[in-house]
Amino acid sequence: IQAAWSLKTRALTEMVYVDEIDMDQEGIAEMMLDENAIAQVARPGTSLKLPGTSQGGGPSPAVRPVTQSGRPITGFVRPSTQSGRPSTMEQAIKTPRTALTAHPITSASGRYGRLGTASMITNPDGPFINLSRLNLAKYAQKPKLAKALFEYIFHHENEVKNALDLAALATEHAQFKDWWWKVQIGKCYYRLGLYREAEKQFKSALKQQDMVDTVLYLAKVYLRLDQPLTALNLFKQGLDRFPGEVTLICGIARIYEEMNNISSAAEYYKDVLKQDNTHVEAIACIGSNHFYSDQPEIALRFYRRLLQMGVYNCQLFNNLGLCCFYAQQYDMTLSSFERALFLAENEEETADVWYNLGHVAVGLGDLNLAYQCFKLTLVNNNDYAEAYNNLAVLEMRKGHVEQARALLQTASSLAPHMYEPHFNFAILSEKVGDLQRSYTAAQKSEEAFPGHVDTQQLIKQLKQHFAML
């Protein structure tokens, strides 16, 4: 029984290739003229869309659960990769546990509108500032006032177009010599999805004034364009000018982790801790890597360090419980999970804790307790594909074939990127003599995890059956 988290991410690609068979001349011309054209196939090791092709020799899904895009799950929740960007509308509708809501797209876009709403109380008679009546040209000539007004419009009101108009007028008044306004124009272009225009503004600002923030914004643009190698080079150039800057080292580590190059990511996270030994993200990611590398005792030290620093939440105690269990420190396991359940803020977190308690019960051999834990997982989160898969395994042990089949079909439809439900369904179908369904499911399992030896053996066995028929 293996766990795999289901985060949905989408990325663009770096190189533009033209498929002459499927496209007519007009389509080719459109791609050549479009700066934001998306490549259908990226070179291996150059794209975040195909992280499994990286040369870093990352962990397989059998060792470490992966997301739908094929990336290993990280030790730290990052808004940029978990804001819910499914590649198709069908996936968007099916996406569970993305931004703690069933509507990932709307929640991701609405996040910006809520960033500053608590920072300023509006008058009961009307809005604090009526943007439609503002004479932006007049305020653009007052630099100090214009900057404060821009921050209010951009962060509080979330009116990107008005903020862009003000920034354009202000930078014109400053005779294009103020780097700060160029950065703000770049932020507006980024929010509007005009990444190439944003890139030009950030580059121009860097020529005038070398700033760490500008480097970070420019790297965000390259990552959204799916050019991780360009972003890596940018971060390394930034480190030459700002040696030991933690945010730049952490940015490099994140990119390596997303490209499935876990060993390089761990090295850079260790460099982060040399500069700042209280960096929560680096400690959590190194701890997670040690846990999935079969070193729960070392991972436990990192999570205890977080506890000593004052991090006190459900996720930390959940991880402490798992590390204690696999490190055979059973006296602390259940108490850590109890504390995690007490600190859980929503049903998704509660479901995660019950799911891990189910694994603990399986490890102890108490299958009845495991069954109850997985049931409680589904009570709290009805879209938990891993719990459906594990319940199906328990039902198979009891001999309830039809119930197991239904649970596995539910799991595979909720999380098609997981290989476990497909493989289990293939085994189940093969046992009851339904060879065609077994072969179809085994192919899906191989597609999700090409290196799975048991799946390859099953497919070979089924082909021999078909040859005999």
Side-chain angles (χ1 to χ4, degrees), residues 82-84 92-109 114 346 348 381 383:
Q82 298 191 5
S83 58
I93 294 168
K94 289 182 178 179
T95 299
R97 301 189 301 139
T98 307
L100 305 182
T101 172
H103 303 285
I105 292 179
T106 53
S107 67
S109 59
R114 298 192 299 274
N346 51 57
E348 280 76 13
N381 183 1
D383 287 332

Side-chain angles (χ1 to χ4, degrees), residues 144-347:
K144 294 180 181 177
L145 188 58
K147 290 183 178 181
L149 182 61
F150 174 87
E151 296 280 353
Y152 174 81
I153 296 172
F154 187 80
H155 292 294
H156 186 274
E157 294 295 327
N158 195 32
E159 291 282 350
V160 180
K161 187 176 179 302
N162 286 331
L164 180 60
D165 291 341
L166 176 61
L169 291 166
T171 194
E172 191 177 341
H173 179 261
Q175 298 178 348
F176 306 98
K177 293 178 181 177
D178 192 339
W179 65 271
W180 191 87
W181 282 114
K182 292 184 179 180
V183 172
Q184 308 316 310
I185 293 173
K187 285 162 67 175
C188 292
Y189 280 141
Y190 178 83
R191 186 78 66 83
L192 291 169
L194 302 169
Y195 303 123
R196 289 299 179 188
E197 284 77 1
E199 177 193 9
K200 291 173 187 172
Q201 295 293 332
F202 290 137
K203 280 186 172 179
S204 178
L206 274 176
K207 285 179 183 175
Q208 286 186 347
Q209 180 72 37
D210 217 358
M211 295 289 289
V212 175
D213 280 356
T214 315
V215 175
L216 293 172
Y217 279 123
L218 187 54
K220 276 183 73 174
V221 171
Y222 286 132
L223 289 176
R224 187 55 65 93
L225 289 170
D226 196 23
Q227 296 182 359
L229 299 184
T230 312
L232 282 174
N233 290 332
L234 179 69
F235 278 135
K236 288 172 182 175
Q237 290 169 11
L239 281 174
D240 292 337
R241 302 191 297 272
F242 302 99
E245 175 58 42
V246 170
T247 52
L248 299 180
I249 305 172
C250 192
I252 295 174
R254 287 178 184 176
I255 294 174
Y256 277 127
E257 196 168 42
E258 289 184 15
M259 292 177 72
N260 213 354
N261 193 342
I262 301 298
S263 55
S264 297
E267 290 301 319
Y268 276 98
Y269 278 128
K270 288 174 184 174
D271 289 342
V272 170
L273 290 183
K274 288 175 186 174
Q275 303 295 330
D276 177 10
N277 57 12
T278 60
H279 198 276
V280 175
E281 180 177 351
I283 296 172
C285 289
I286 294 173
S288 175
N289 290 337
H290 280 301
F291 178 79
Y292 287 116
S293 302
D294 227 1
Q295 297 172 320
E297 300 90 351
I298 302 175
L300 188 60
R301 289 171 57 190
F302 282 93
Y303 288 125
R304 283 178 59 197
R305 167 68 176 161
L306 287 177
L307 196 62
Q308 290 167 354
M309 284 167 48
V311 179
Y312 195 79
N313 56 26
C314 167
Q315 292 86 351
L316 179 58
F317 278 101
N318 175 66
N319 292 353
L320 281 168
L322 281 175
C323 289
C324 287
F325 176 71
Y326 285 107
Q328 299 180 4
Q329 298 183 16
Y330 300 122
D331 54 333
M332 289 293 295
T333 302
L334 291 179
S335 59
S336 296
F337 281 122
E338 282 178 1
R339 189 63 57 86
L341 284 171
F342 177 73
L343 292 171
E345 295 179 353
N346 51 57
E347 291 182 342

Side-chain angles (χ1 to χ4, degrees), residues 3-20:
W5 305 97
S6 43
L7 310 175
K8 307 297 187 283
T9 50
R10 178 176 66 85
L12 307 180
T13 45
E14 182 176 3
M15 300 297 292
V16 177
Y17 296 91
V18 178
D19 189 348
E20 296 175 355

